[in-house]
Amino acid sequence: MAGIDASPRTHASHSGVELEPIQLVAPDGTATAETRYRRNLPPETLTWLYESMVITRELDTEFVNLQRQGELALFASCRGQEATQIGAAACLPKTDWLFPQYREIGAFLLRGLTPAQLGAVWRGKWHGGLGFTEKCVAPISIPIGTQGLHAVGAAMAAQRLGEDSVTLAFLGDGATSEGDAHEALNFAAVFKAPCIFVVQNNHWAISVPVSRQQAGPSIAHRAIGYGMPGIRVDGNDVLACYAVTAEAARRARDGGGPTLIEAVTYRMGPHTTSDDPTRYRSDEELEYWATRDPIERYRIYLQAEGVWTARLEDRIAARSKRLRAELRESVVDAVDFEITDVFDTVYHDITPDLLAQRAQVLAEIAKEAEA
């Protein structure tokens, strides 16, 4: 099956990068034999990670429902990738900058962005994206791979300002086929920028499998050519994602430069709500990855650790219901923005070109109204 990871299953290192992803919690929910990374986080942190993943999936479901009901033109689901983004973002202080692509609902929620703020983005409201930078989160990046360059630039700026901060760029496997990703990785390595690249290898760049995007052993192996550490991690294991990202952040803060992390995960839904994944991937492949669901495996692990309780689940369900209602209320029948806001909110003082375009649009609207 094209989308199933067919890399050799060995712990033997190939040029310093292991092909077998780092894993702390096995797909069946049991602890693995991995000893290089700690999994004994405080109980409140363990449950926080679980709650964040469940909330992320619940809101993801609500977003898809809203799009199917005609309230949103488009939405990019992160179903199946919750562990990667929650684990990577949760281990960083909120003063470290995140540079997302467009699937990072979980990372946004961890930083305190509200469902209403996220809804405004996907609704296409003029104020969509406002408030992101106040949480040290860059605006959502739709052009593939450009956020990697932004993350490196911010990291280099932090270096020159003498700030003790790290930047993290979320990329997809498809983004690593873009020139921008190459330039970002090369700049980061040459200037030892305190930047972490988390590549969410969900096996498909829309309909193109990873096997058609590279000939090397793994995405993480590309780090060797750039001169930075590369590591593969089970992207459906939230504790492993937390551990390897925390290690990369420590290294960056100590002057060790960037790290390339390949999180091996899977996109359970379509690329976006405009995509039909049944045209290019099989039911067998989907079933294979369903058995590796990040939320179910982690819940089983927490039960074995004596941390999970029915009370915890009830609390999460109540919060999920409240946040889904908040999202729906902010989106359904929302008043459309004034068309002039598109021009008036770009700069503090509108430029002559935008002023001319604004006048042209208003003239065309008036003409249509008279017809």
Side-chain angles (χ1 to χ4, degrees), residues 11-352:
H11 281 284
S13 178
H14 180 90
S15 300
V17 179
E18 294 183 357
L19 288 168
E20 182 71 16
I22 297 297
Q23 187 180 84
L24 299 181
V25 180
D28 64 1
T30 59
T32 66
E34 178 63 59
T35 59
R36 288 169 294 176
Y37 299 89
R38 61 184 290 249
R39 57 171 68 81
N40 59 332
L41 300 174
E44 57 270 22
T45 302
L46 294 174
T47 56
W48 174 53
L49 295 173
Y50 177 71
E51 178 174 350
S52 299
M53 286 198 293
V54 175
I55 295 292
T56 298
R57 181 165 296 184
E58 287 289 322
L59 281 176
D60 187 275
T61 300
E62 191 65 39
F63 266 113
V64 173
N65 290 345
L66 287 165
Q67 192 282 328
R68 298 309 189 200
Q69 293 162 12
E71 297 292 343
L72 305 173
L74 183 75
F75 180 67
S77 171
C78 68
R79 187 179 186 86
Q81 299 179 219
E82 297 90 352
T84 296
Q85 56 184 258
I86 294 296
C91 68
L92 300 177
K94 292 186 177 181
T95 51
D96 284 344
W97 275 81
L98 304 181
F99 288 81
Q101 45 175 350
Y102 41 75
R103 292 188 201 279
E104 283 71 51
I105 296 178
F108 299 147
L109 293 172
L110 286 182
R111 285 302 176 91
L113 293 169
T114 66
Q117 286 177 290
L118 303 182
V121 172
W122 290 105
R123 180 79 175 185
K125 303 290 286 183
W126 74 267
H127 60 284
L130 289 185
F132 277 51
T133 56
E134 295 170 8
K135 304 292 186 180
C136 292
V137 178
I140 289 175
S141 177
I142 295 299
I144 305 300
T146 56
Q147 69 273 24
L149 289 168
H150 304 157
V152 175
M156 293 173 66
Q159 279 180 317
R160 298 192 180 194
L161 292 171
E163 296 178 354
D164 180 28
S165 64
V166 169
T167 65
L168 186 151
F170 285 105
L171 302 169
D173 51 278
T176 63
S177 297
E178 296 286 340
D180 283 352
H182 159 72
E183 292 163 4
L185 288 160
N186 196 52
F187 257 91
V190 169
F191 292 99
K192 297 184 81 67
C195 184
I196 305 168
F197 300 89
V198 176
V199 178
Q200 299 180 83
N201 177 3
N202 65 20
H203 288 79
W204 292 95
I206 307 184
S207 59
V208 180
V210 175
S211 60
R212 295 291 300 275
Q213 296 179 67
Q214 65 168 35
S218 75
I219 291 173
H221 278 77
R222 300 187 188 186
I224 301 165
Y226 294 112
M228 68 173 73
I231 187 169
R232 301 190 88 206
V233 62
D234 184 339
N236 285 9
D237 178 354
V238 68
L239 292 186
C241 291
Y242 185 105
V244 300
T245 308
E247 178 187 56
R250 286 192 295 271
R251 182 187 305 115
R253 274 185 239 282
D254 291 341
T259 300
L260 173 59
I261 298 172
E262 177 189 359
V264 183
T265 182
Y266 192 76
R267 165 171 54 83
M268 294 300 292
H271 175 70
T272 70
T273 46
S274 297
D275 175 39
D276 178 9
T278 63
R279 299 177 62 184
Y280 55 82
R281 67 185 190 191
S282 67
D283 291 341
E284 182 185 6
E285 178 179 322
L286 202 61
E287 292 169 4
Y288 172 87
W289 283 99
T291 63
R292 286 152 176 76
D293 183 89
I295 296 177
E296 177 63 15
R297 80 157 71 172
Y298 190 52
R299 181 183 63 78
I300 295 171
Y301 174 78
L302 293 184
Q303 285 178 313
E305 292 295 305
V307 176
W308 182 94
T309 64
R311 183 177 180 181
L312 168 66
E313 203 70 47
D314 291 342
R315 189 190 76 203
I316 295 173
R319 185 182 173 210
S320 296
K321 183 178 180 180
R322 185 179 75 253
L323 292 179
R324 289 182 67 155
E326 180 183 328
L327 172 60
R328 178 165 288 276
E329 289 169 6
S330 72
V331 169
V332 173
D333 297 327
V335 178
D336 286 334
F337 58 82
E338 292 290 334
I339 190 63
T340 52
D341 288 340
V342 173
F343 305 97
D344 297 343
T345 57
V346 178
Y347 299 105
H348 183 274
D349 297 313
I350 190 169
T351 64

